[in-house]
Amino acid sequence: MTIQFTGQPLEIGPPRRRAVLALLVMRVGTVVSIPTILESLWGIDLPDHAVTTLQSYVSRLRKLIVHRPLADGSELTLQYRSHGYVLDVAPENIDAVRFERLVTRGLAAERGGDRAHAFTLLSAALQEWTAPPFEDLSEYDFACQEAQRLCQLKLSAVEGRAEAALQLGRSGEILHDLEVEAAHHPARERLVRLLMQAQYRDGRQADALQLFDRTRRYLSTELGVDVGPELRRTHEEILRQAPSLAPAEVPVPAAPSPAAEPIENAPALGQMPFIGRQQELEVLRAAVHRACEGRGGVVSLLGESGSGKTTLLREFRRHCVEREIDVFTVNCPKAEGLPTHWPWKQVLRAAAERWPQTINALPADVRATLIAMLPGWQGTPGHIPRAPHPIGDFLVQEAVAQALLTLGRRPLVLVIEDLHWADVASLRLLRLLASQLADSRLLLVATSRTFRASADPNVRALLAAIRELPVSDEIMLSGLHAAESRELARAAGRHPTDTVADALHRRTVGNPYFLVAMLKQLNPDMSAAAVESLLPETLEEVVLERLALLPRLVNSVLRACTVLGDDCTESVLSQVVGGGEDGAGPAIQQAIRGGLLTRASGGLSLEFVHPLLRDTVRRNLSHGELGELHWKAVPALLNGARFSDIRDPIRAHTRAALRSAPPAQVLRPLLDEVEKAVKLGLYDVALDWLDLLADILHTPAGDQRYAQAELNVQLRRLDLLNVVQRTAPVSRDALRDRVQQLGCYLGSPQAGVILPSRLIDQITRGDLSAAEATVSPRSGPAQQENDPYLDFVTHYGQGRVHYARGKLSEAQASMDDALAVADGGTAAHSGAITARWLHFEARLNKAVIQWLRGRTDEAWQNMAEIWRLKCHGARPVATSLAHTYEAVLQVFEDDPEGARRNAIAAVEPIQRKWTSRWQWLIDAVLLWANARRGTARSADFAAALSSLAREELAGTRLITLGLALVSDAERVAGHPREAHAHLRRLRRLVAQTGEVVFLNTLPAHLLPWRALPHAA
């Protein structure tokens, strides 16, 4: 409900204030008592201070309306009078009052026989109806009752206007209103009857019969009753094409001026001038010209619903009438219970009425068959042999074909519309007749909807046979051209701008019926962007009706396609739809052949031919259906695709699916991809997926619907990043903070994950003091959490710090303590890669420490034990690490062949998969071994130096062993200047980090400064 002051709407306020005003407007000029208002607002359960609250509402309303003139200059006055309130205003200022008065006068004129005046009055009344009344007050009984009364009055106005229009021959002007109201009130038989008559007048006989069939089913299913006698009589008249359905000869009154014409009253398609289709019309003209010369044939006219088949035929019929060529038209309705050969029977009845002598001159056996086919028709009295009972299909085909070929000795056009609804026997008869038309003067024109013609194998076979005939044409109606769409808009009385006209053309793809329906909703201020998203309710209902006629699997294909969007390839679509044993492939091909889907430019993906179809399908998907389709799209896109190609679609579909499905279900396919990549050692790929999942799940503060799912993903990311050299340390710091935040929110502290990750970064960066503080026995988390795994990490961290500082005895003791905890079986931690890697590296570090302490035999025994126990279950991490450490021991042993062999073996498990944190050491060992063997190439030096530079850039500082090996390789290769540079760099790192272990413990052959006197 709104109030307009000089064209500007007034903001009335909250619902109860609007309810007070509505109650006073409904009883304008009458005092409404305070008890009545209170009961209308709150019922019998009044709140405290109800009267005071009412007085405040009235006071605010007075302030809103005071000194505000209405359109006619008058003002609203709200007064207290006789224990109540009254609103004084001229009734003409209330649209509901104007509407009711016009309806009353219009219905009276209609009952009195003044149909022209009735049509004018009721049209004016319906112009007052801009929206359902009191929609914003639906919680109040008084408003609902008044709204229901006004809606019933509107239905009476629509029906009265339709009765008048049918008598005036103006059926095209009422079709839109009748279709809208009949969709909302399917049980109102008078409304349905009037719509059927209007559709029949508009050349839509098949739609009228379908409407009757749908209404009969609705009444039977919902109410348990049959249709009434008037509606049944109208149905029978349409089947007979009764003359009573033709409009009366009444002069059409002058149309109102264009300025006053409402959008809804745009001319019907059949009332507009013939626009476009000149080439198609010329094909029909040429065909009938050939038929007149004795070369009959067939024209197949195919097009989607609303493409203009009926309009084209109407223009063709006019052409034939001007040349005195008879045209018979018959529809094949989609109705239950029709006898076989129904369209041919209608043709024969019409022919018998038009040319009784020709029919009666047919051979006796032919007439006998026709009489058996057409109960009630006897032809010329006399002896006629009895036809066999039942009549065989072949006899019927021969008799009908002979009768029509006899009629075809004169120029004759036979139009069979909606061939897709014809029975199989009628299709066979048409095929026989078509094959015999070459020497006749009979032209057969058969129309069909594109999809039905492609989906029905019988119709498809018939059309294929027709194409093989010597005299046949096929017309495939597509959309109008852009210029023709503009011309149609002008003919409808609309003059959109070029941009809006182009938007209308794109939106409707030039479909004339859709275009006219869109024009009815167009207002002068509508932008092109608004047109691109416009979907009138009437068009939506029409599209939904047609979708209901499609096979279930084709509808499933369309629903999936509207969700997949640009990712809708045939393979993805098939996986989303499923379809059992036969799969979705045939349904997809049906949708393509039937003009519902087409291949996008490039030919890989599919898209809707019609945007209105796409948007209707999508709008009518439930929340659950939409989520399920997005969920199914994810595994379908995953199948064999590259991550970079599907990252964005996966993100979009997963986010959409999460709106209606639990995270565990939606994320399962992506988590499976992660585990598959980890199993194959493709850690970089696994991290790509985990980064995507983290982005999908990361929500702003305060929105933790997916906290547990995100925590699981972030834990897995951190686990892999501990091993893979990929992200800068600051990123891992942020990741640890997020894990800690999520863990605190969920009440599950993640010290067992955060501490090892932090320790690894601190050691890698050479921040030994921070690492020492992290694993301090006095403040370490192990004691606070009572977690054996953290106890293991503490000992391991202490061992690594002692080792870097050259305290080898303390380092070995700490590693022994760590391994004692781990080997006790209590330190296994959730199967994480980090835990297994640290456990394994503790053993390898112990072997190196033993060698550097001079216990080489124990070191090699330890390595043999590692390989024997195969405790490196974290493949390929452990395999690469084991070969790397063994290569280091062989460097210490001055065994370049063994070192090279193990360095190569260390690369193989991770080659082209991911970059490990120890790649710099592998490359340095490989360079040293090749230099010692005399086979070092410039590429080897470049690889080693690049690895070391990359590590320093990523924050790694404990790389002194790598620099020592590169320096020795440069010395051996005869590059003393470069060897000096690496040694200076080594000293700077030792000074920064305190990693002095390799300055004092390396074997003599690895101390290049002894061979470089100026370097010491």
Side-chain angles (χ1 to χ4, degrees):
M1 185 180 68
T2 59
I3 303 178
Q4 295 274 349
F5 288 110
T6 60
Q8 296 299 319
L10 176 69
E11 178 60 42
I12 302 172
R16 281 206 175 88
R17 193 189 304 169
R18 294 200 303 274
V20 172
L21 182 60
L23 194 60
L24 296 173
V25 168
M26 288 163 50
R27 304 185 187 185
V28 63
T30 304
V31 176
V32 185
S33 68
I34 289 177
T36 299
I37 299 176
L38 295 178
E39 184 177 353
S40 299
L41 293 181
W42 288 287
I44 59 174
D45 188 16
L46 297 179
D48 295 336
H49 312 297
V51 175
T52 304
T53 303
L54 173 61
Q55 290 170 346
S56 71
Y57 290 154
V58 173
S59 175
R60 287 186 175 90
L61 284 171
R62 281 185 180 136
K63 291 178 181 178
L64 285 172
I65 65 177
V66 68
H67 303 314
R68 289 177 179 265
L70 296 170
D72 62 352
S74 63
E75 293 186 0
L76 290 169
T77 57
L78 177 54
Q79 300 177 348
Y80 176 79
R81 192 184 302 165
S82 302
H83 306 293
Y85 294 98
V86 60
L87 181 70
D88 284 325
V89 64
E92 291 76 16
N93 285 306
I94 302 174
D95 58 358
V97 174
R98 294 196 304 270
F99 167 75
E100 189 167 355
R101 288 179 177 179
L102 286 168
V103 171
T104 302
R105 291 170 56 201
L107 293 178
E110 197 265 331
R111 287 192 296 271
D114 189 354
R115 296 184 177 88
H117 190 45
F119 183 84
T120 301
L121 289 171
L122 293 173
S123 296
L126 292 173
Q127 289 182 40
E128 296 287 348
W129 189 282
T130 56
F134 305 123
E135 273 191 315
D136 54 342
L137 300 174
S138 58
E139 59 188 281
Y140 299 100
D141 289 341
F142 76 89
C144 292
Q145 292 168 7
E146 178 66 5
Q148 188 174 8
R149 185 185 72 84
L150 291 173
C151 287
Q152 291 300 316
L153 196 60
K154 181 199 176 188
L155 287 174
S156 298
V158 171
E159 292 169 343
R161 179 173 178 263
E163 293 277 13
L166 289 170
Q167 292 297 322
L168 295 169
R170 302 174 69 172
S171 58
E173 298 178 48
I174 58 172
L175 263 173
H176 171 70
D177 288 342
L178 289 174
E179 287 173 341
V180 171
E181 298 301 337
H184 290 134
H185 307 281
R188 196 170 175 105
E189 292 191 43
R190 184 189 181 198
L191 193 63
V192 173
R193 173 175 61 81
L194 292 167
L195 177 55
M196 288 174 61
Q197 292 175 350
Q199 287 175 328
Y200 179 83
R201 294 269 185 91
D202 198 50
R204 294 165 55 190
Q205 176 179 341
D207 288 344
L209 293 173
Q210 290 176 24
L211 176 61
F212 173 82
D213 193 45
R214 200 162 53 246
T215 303
R216 182 172 61 184
R217 284 199 306 272
Y218 178 85
L219 292 174
S220 175
T221 303
E222 300 296 329
L223 304 177
V225 298
D226 199 2
V227 296
E230 289 191 21
L231 188 57
R232 187 177 296 280
R233 184 163 52 252
T234 299
H235 176 249
E236 293 169 353
E237 289 173 346
I238 291 174
L239 288 175
R240 296 198 314 272
Q241 298 183 341
S244 60
L245 293 175
E249 294 295 330
V250 180
V252 179
S257 64
E261 183 183 2
I263 294 294
E264 289 79 2
N265 286 343
L269 195 57
Q271 297 174 313
M272 294 185 187
F274 183 70
I275 295 171
R277 310 299 190 204
Q278 292 300 324
Q279 185 176 352
E280 292 85 353
L281 181 60
E282 190 55 41
V283 172
L284 289 168
R285 287 173 174 170
V288 77
H289 179 73
R290 289 195 304 268
C292 291
E293 294 179 343
R295 292 182 295 142
V298 185
V299 177
S300 304
L301 177 56
L302 309 176
E304 62 175 296
S305 186
S307 59
K309 299 187 295 296
T310 302
T311 304
L312 176 61
L313 288 176
R314 185 182 291 119
E315 188 68 16
F316 173 59
R317 195 177 292 114
R318 184 179 295 114
H319 170 81
C320 293
V321 170
E322 290 173 356
R323 287 153 183 76
E324 298 183 350
I325 301 171
D326 290 297
V327 180
F328 281 2
T329 301
V330 63
N331 290 87
C332 303
K334 185 181 185 299
E336 298 176 0
L338 289 178
T340 57
H341 300 108
W342 190 88
W344 301 108
K345 291 176 181 179
Q346 306 313 304
V347 170
L348 292 171
R349 286 186 187 278
E353 292 178 7
R354 177 71 174 80
W355 298 293
Q357 293 181 345
T358 303
I359 297 297
N360 288 328
L362 292 170
D365 58 335
V366 172
R367 281 186 293 136
T369 302
L370 297 182
I371 289 171
M373 283 180 64
L374 305 171
W377 179 72
Q378 293 297 328
T380 302
H383 175 69
I384 297 176
R386 184 179 299 275
H389 184 76
I391 312 173
D393 193 37
F394 178 74
L395 284 178
V396 171
Q397 291 182 22
E398 284 291 327
V400 174
Q402 188 169 347
L404 293 177
L405 288 171
T406 301
L407 293 173
R409 293 170 184 168
R410 61 177 60 79
L412 176 63
V413 176
L414 175 58
V415 179
I416 301 180
E417 294 199 73
D418 295 329
L419 188 67
H420 48 273
W421 299 130
D423 58 282
V424 176
S426 293
L427 296 178
R428 286 199 295 264
L429 200 159
L430 190 152
R431 185 170 182 172
L432 174 68
L433 177 62
S435 66
Q436 301 178 23
L437 294 178
D439 298 324
S440 73
R441 304 175 77 184
L442 173 62
L443 175 64
L444 189 60
V445 180
T447 77
S448 176
R449 293 181 186 172
T450 309
F451 179 82
R452 302 302 309 180
S454 67
D456 189 324
N458 296 303
V459 178
R460 197 163 64 242
L462 170 64
L463 294 175
I466 289 174
R467 293 186 193 104
E468 299 297 324
L469 295 176
V471 184
S472 69
D473 294 286
E474 183 172 278
I475 300 173
M476 181 71 73
L477 288 185
S478 56
L480 297 174
H481 299 305
E484 295 166 345
S485 294
R486 289 196 187 93
E487 187 179 353
L488 184 59
R490 289 193 293 271
R494 309 290 174 257
H495 300 279
T497 63
D498 289 345
T499 55
V500 170
D502 290 341
L504 278 168
H505 180 72
R506 289 192 300 271
R507 185 72 172 155
T508 61
V509 197
N511 181 292
Y513 176 79
F514 288 173
L515 183 57
V516 170
M518 293 278 285
L519 288 168
K520 292 176 182 177
Q521 302 295 320
L522 196 66
N523 63 64
D525 300 327
M526 190 170 287
S527 66
V531 170
E532 294 280 12
S533 60
L534 181 62
L535 179 56
E537 186 178 352
T538 51
L539 275 187
E540 185 178 3
E541 291 295 329
V542 169
V543 174
L544 287 174
E545 282 186 23
R546 293 165 188 171
L547 289 172
L549 300 174
L550 300 180
R552 179 191 61 80
L553 207 53
V554 173
N555 268 308
S556 297
V557 166
L558 298 181
R559 285 193 289 270
C561 191
T562 193
V563 168
L564 288 170
D566 294 337
D567 310 308
C568 187
T569 63
E570 284 192 50
S571 60
V572 171
L573 190 56
S574 296
Q575 292 176 69
V576 173
V577 174
E581 294 181 2
D582 295 333
I588 295 172
Q589 295 307 314
Q590 270 188 293
I592 295 172
R593 287 198 307 267
L596 303 176
L597 299 178
T598 186
R599 300 189 189 282
S601 55
L604 294 178
S605 61
L606 298 173
E607 62 185 11
F608 281 86
V609 170
H610 215 298
L612 289 169
L613 173 61
R614 176 198 64 209
D615 292 353
T616 299
V617 172
R618 187 174 185 86
R619 182 180 290 187
N620 287 273
L621 284 172
S622 69
H623 185 65
E625 288 174 325
L626 197 60
E628 182 180 5
L629 287 169
H630 280 295
W631 171 60
K632 289 182 176 179
V634 173
L637 288 168
L638 289 173
N639 192 11
R642 292 186 303 179
F643 175 82
S644 58
D645 294 335
I646 60 173
R647 176 178 50 220
D648 292 338
I650 288 289
R651 179 189 291 109
H653 289 299
T654 304
R655 282 178 172 165
L658 283 170
R659 297 190 190 108
S660 60
Q665 174 185 334
V666 175
L667 303 179
R668 187 69 267 161
L670 301 181
L671 292 172
D672 287 344
E673 289 297 310
V674 172
E675 296 310 316
K676 188 190 306 180
V678 169
K679 188 175 181 180
L680 295 172
L682 302 172
Y683 291 173
D684 269 340
V685 175
L687 279 168
D688 285 338
W689 284 114
L690 289 167
D691 291 346
L692 177 62
L693 281 166
D695 177 57
I696 291 170
L697 290 169
H698 191 80
T699 54
D703 184 3
Q704 297 290 351
R705 291 170 295 171
Y706 313 121
Q708 186 60 60
E710 187 191 349
L711 177 59
N712 294 339
V713 168
Q714 302 289 22
L715 288 173
R716 197 65 165 133
R717 285 179 79 202
L718 194 56
D719 184 35
L720 285 174
L721 285 172
N722 290 333
V723 179
V724 177
Q725 183 60 289
R726 185 185 193 208
T727 308
V730 65
S731 298
R732 281 193 289 271
D733 289 339
L735 180 53
R736 284 191 290 269
D737 290 343
R738 182 61 177 169
V739 169
Q740 190 167 20
Q741 178 187 2
L742 291 168
C744 292
Y745 174 80
L746 295 169
S748 59
Q750 299 297 319
V753 175
I754 294 172
L755 182 136
S757 176
R758 182 179 294 119
L759 176 66
I760 291 168
D761 272 354
Q762 289 167 342
I763 292 174
T764 303
R765 294 198 299 264
D767 193 350
L768 300 181
S769 297
E772 186 175 32
T774 297
V775 295
S776 169
R778 293 185 298 276
S779 61
Q783 295 182 357
Q784 301 173 23
E785 300 287 339
N786 194 24
D787 184 345
Y789 174 64
L790 291 180
D791 194 17
F792 160 77
V793 172
T794 298
H795 291 303
Y796 167 81
Q798 292 168 351
R800 284 299 307 268
V801 172
H802 290 318
Y803 169 58
R805 288 174 171 170
K807 300 177 182 180
L808 298 182
S809 298
E810 293 89 337
Q812 182 169 341
S814 294
M815 289 299 177
D816 286 338
D817 291 340
L819 291 171
V821 176
D823 292 342
T826 57
H829 192 76
S830 70
I833 290 176
T834 302
R836 289 178 288 173
W837 171 46
L838 292 179
H839 180 193
F840 186 53
E841 196 180 42
R843 287 186 173 275
L844 294 170
N845 271 283
K846 180 181 176 180
V848 173
I849 292 168
Q850 287 172 327
W851 198 97
L852 292 175
R853 293 185 67 196
R855 301 175 180 179
T856 56
D857 291 341
E858 292 180 16
W860 285 110
Q861 288 173 7
N862 196 8
M863 285 299 303
E865 183 70 8
I866 290 172
W867 288 111
R868 188 181 68 80
L869 294 175
K870 295 183 179 178
C871 58
H872 47 282
R875 292 179 181 273
V877 173
T879 303
S880 177
L881 261 178
H883 282 296
T884 302
Y885 273 75
E886 189 162 333
V888 168
L889 292 182
Q890 286 164 331
V891 169
F892 292 169
E893 297 275 359
D894 198 14
D895 180 5
E897 292 294 340
R900 180 177 180 277
R901 186 170 55 252
N902 272 292
I904 293 173
V907 173
E908 288 178 356
I910 57 176
Q911 193 172 22
R912 294 184 302 277
K913 296 178 180 178
W914 50 283
T915 303
S916 68
R917 281 178 174 262
W918 51 93
Q919 184 65 46
W920 59 273
L921 186 55
I922 297 174
D923 290 338
V925 168
L926 196 56
L927 171 63
W928 177 86
N930 286 334
R932 289 285 181 150
R933 295 172 66 248
T935 59
R937 301 168 301 167
S938 58
D940 297 328
F941 284 96
L945 294 173
S946 175
S947 287
L948 289 168
R950 185 169 56 246
E951 287 303 312
E952 281 201 88
L953 187 63
T956 303
R957 294 293 181 267
L958 296 190
I959 56 173
T960 54
L961 177 58
L963 288 171
L965 296 179
V966 171
S967 177
D968 191 50
E970 295 279 17
R971 178 186 63 79
V972 172
H975 307 145
R977 185 182 299 276
E978 288 79 1
H980 280 220
H982 296 315
L983 287 177
R984 286 193 294 272
R985 184 176 165 197
L986 183 151
R987 288 197 193 90
R988 285 196 301 271
L989 281 179
V990 169
Q992 292 171 8
T993 64
E995 187 189 19
V996 299
V997 59
F998 297 116
L999 291 181
N1000 305 319
T1001 59
L1002 286 180
H1005 66 275
L1006 286 178
L1007 295 177
W1009 46 85
R1010 293 180 180 174
L1012 295 169
H1014 298 290

